[in-house]
Amino acid sequence: MVEKRLQQLQSDELSAVSVLDHMYNNQCINLDDILHIRLLVGDQIVTEMREAMYDQLGITGYAGVTSNKLLAKLVSGVFKPNQQTVLLPGSCQDLIHSLNHIKEISGIGYKTTKRLEALGINSVRDLQTCSSKILVKELRMSVAHHIQRLSFVENISPVTPSGPPQSFSEEDSFKNVHQKLKPKKRLKNYLLVF
């Protein structure tokens, strides 16, 4: 979508592209850097998607716009509710070091977190500086390498378009709310699986 939008924009329109909600760390945009421009265009697209969700469904949402899925997930929650944040490459380590605990990194599960804590690894910095040999000894080699890559924000899983939804499911996240509402006004949270 970003490539298509970039092809449609004229060079004079590119200079008018700006962040619509928030820029993590208030980092300056470099309009000579193609990655910065791509992220700004992505920011516009995400804003349009969130506006369409609200207009058509009455649903608000927050989002992160950055270079990979892990970072997007982490930065999306910085400004909530119903806002979005752009994270430029120069602020990635600041974001990852701002995490209070390794359990905040998507991809490190409960059991792995407990094993790391037993080794005295609690922060992202602890994980980044821990010897790979120690991690491999405690965890399988593939897990050790995977979580260290995550700590350095090296999430290599690509974002791949998958076409129209294959299924819809209903998630009941509002149990306490259901009990307080009349039966005809129950809230439902729908999860789309793409």
Side-chain angles (χ1 to χ4, degrees):
M1 292 176 76
V2 170
E3 289 301 322
K4 187 175 181 179
R5 182 74 57 93
L6 277 171
Q7 290 171 3
Q8 293 171 347
L9 290 174
Q10 303 298 321
S11 59
D12 59 328
E13 293 174 308
L14 284 176
S15 62
V17 175
S18 63
V19 174
L20 300 173
D21 273 359
H22 299 281
M23 175 66 70
Y24 188 82
N25 271 358
N26 294 318
Q27 192 176 354
C28 293
I29 303 292
N30 178 358
L31 292 177
D32 294 325
D33 186 329
I34 189 64
L35 182 54
H36 286 211
I37 292 170
R38 290 174 56 81
L39 291 173
L40 291 177
V41 170
D43 184 51
Q44 287 185 328
I45 293 169
V46 171
T47 297
E48 292 165 9
M49 291 170 63
R50 289 178 43 248
E51 287 172 354
M53 278 180 18
Y54 184 75
D55 292 344
Q56 295 174 22
L57 304 170
I59 297 173
T60 62
Y62 53 94
V65 180
T66 190
S67 58
N68 70 42
K69 290 191 291 188
L70 173 61
L71 288 170
K73 184 170 181 137
L74 292 172
V75 81
S76 68
V78 173
F79 293 100
K80 298 192 289 193
N82 197 30
Q83 298 184 50
Q84 66 194 55
T85 308
V86 175
L87 176 69
L88 297 177
S91 295
C92 294
Q93 284 303 311
D94 292 338
L95 173 66
I96 201 82
H97 287 146
S98 74
L99 301 177
N100 294 319
H101 198 276
I102 54 172
K103 66 183 173 189
E104 294 179 63
I105 298 176
S106 180
I108 300 180
Y110 177 79
K111 289 182 180 179
T112 302
T113 298
K114 290 299 178 195
R115 292 173 79 181
L116 292 172
E117 288 173 338
L119 294 171
I121 300 169
N122 296 294
S123 71
V124 174
R125 256 188 234 277
D126 293 341
L127 184 54
Q128 288 175 335
T129 59
C130 183
S131 163
S132 294
K133 290 179 183 178
I134 292 171
L135 290 174
V136 168
K137 185 177 179 183
E138 181 63 28
L139 309 163
R140 292 188 327 268
M141 183 181 291
S142 62
V143 173
H145 291 291
H146 175 69
I147 63 172
Q148 263 197 324
R149 280 196 319 269
L150 289 176
S151 75
F152 285 104
V153 196
E154 296 173 13
N155 185 4
I156 55 175
S157 57
V159 177
T160 54
S162 59
Q166 298 298 310
S167 64
F168 292 92
S169 65
E170 182 179 329
E171 181 181 321
D172 191 355
S173 300
F174 301 107
K175 291 179 184 166
N176 294 337
V177 175
H178 283 226
Q179 296 166 0
K180 296 175 186 175
L181 294 176
K182 294 177 184 174
K184 291 183 181 179
K185 294 187 178 182
R186 290 194 176 189
L187 299 175
K188 293 182 181 179
N189 181 19
Y190 290 96
L191 172 65
L192 300 179
V193 180
F194 296 96

